[in-house]
Amino acid sequence: MIVTKEELQGYTGVEFESGNNIAELFIGSAQNIVENYLGYEIESKEYTKHFALHTSNIIKCGVKNITNVAEITIDGTLVEDYYINDDKIILKQPVISDNIIVKFTAGFGTDLPAIIKLTVLRISALLQTESNNNIGVSGKSFMDGSRTFISFTNYDKYLIACANYRIIR
């Protein structure tokens, strides 16, 4: 997970009991919410994917921040002429093949954008506020006697801050 229990405690000021794994549940759930919004797993990992191209030279890998390409083969032949552009691999020549295999590493490690980490932290804290039979709603009263309620379970305003890192499918 990209956020630690200690970071969540520091952010919320709420201490968790020793041996209580509820903080990890909040953090893991928040990270899943952000990953579902982004369209890929945040943490760096190795992938092996199969692709088909028909007169194109762009392989859309579906994961942001490609950091390494270990191998590209087209119909069993090793390809070495390419460059990486964030979530795409651009081949020097257009290709027609249904048998393209790419082994690569993508995702974020120490280069994790701060806004992604902050978003996971914020949503973790909101999930935490819903515990102990609380509901994810807050109210505000005004001098004229009116009152408004704000739902904390709508994470859109937090997720939109990560829109530049999203893969649109």
Side-chain angles (χ1 to χ4, degrees):
M1 290 183 284
I2 63 170
V3 171
T4 66
K5 179 179 177 179
E6 293 73 27
E7 288 170 325
L8 180 58
Q9 287 176 336
Y11 183 76
T12 63
V14 176
E15 295 290 323
F16 295 98
E17 294 176 19
S18 179
N20 187 339
N21 295 333
I22 195 75
E24 286 85 359
L25 179 65
F26 296 143
I27 295 165
S29 297
Q31 184 165 327
N32 288 341
I33 290 167
V34 173
E35 288 175 340
N36 287 335
Y37 174 79
L38 295 175
Y40 58 92
E41 292 182 40
I42 297 168
E43 295 179 271
S44 183
K45 71 179 230 178
E46 294 179 3
Y47 294 87
T48 299
K49 291 191 173 188
H50 296 79
F51 299 94
L53 292 178
H54 301 282
T55 66
S56 177
N57 66 328
I58 300 172
I59 301 172
K60 297 178 182 177
C61 295
V63 182
K64 288 273 189 176
N65 200 34
I66 298 172
T67 56
N68 180 51
V69 175
E71 180 178 275
I72 301 174
T73 58
I74 300 174
D75 298 324
T77 304
L78 190 63
V79 175
E80 296 181 1
D81 291 335
Y82 62 86
Y83 65 94
I84 300 169
N85 183 354
D86 194 29
D87 63 327
K88 299 171 195 70
I89 298 171
I90 315 295
L91 304 173
K92 291 254 181 170
Q93 300 292 326
V95 174
I96 299 174
S97 176
D98 290 330
N99 190 21
I100 301 169
I101 300 172
V102 181
K103 296 178 182 178
F104 64 98
T105 304
F108 297 98
T110 57
D111 58 343
L112 177 69
I115 193 62
I116 293 176
K117 184 168 188 166
L118 180 60
T119 301
V120 171
L121 194 57
R122 285 175 168 169
I123 294 173
S124 298
L126 292 172
L127 291 170
Q128 180 183 337
T129 64
E130 294 176 351
S131 62
N132 294 327
N133 295 321
N134 291 321
I135 59 172
V137 174
S138 179
K140 176 158 177 68
S141 297
F142 296 96
M143 291 183 65
D144 65 359
S146 64
R147 189 160 191 187
T148 187
F149 293 93
I150 302 163
S151 171
F152 289 133
T153 55
N154 182 352
Y155 307 118
D156 291 348
K157 76 178 188 176
Y158 303 104
L159 293 169
I160 198 72
C162 298
N164 289 342
Y165 300 98
R166 189 175 190 192
I167 290 186
I168 301 186
R169 298 174 190 242

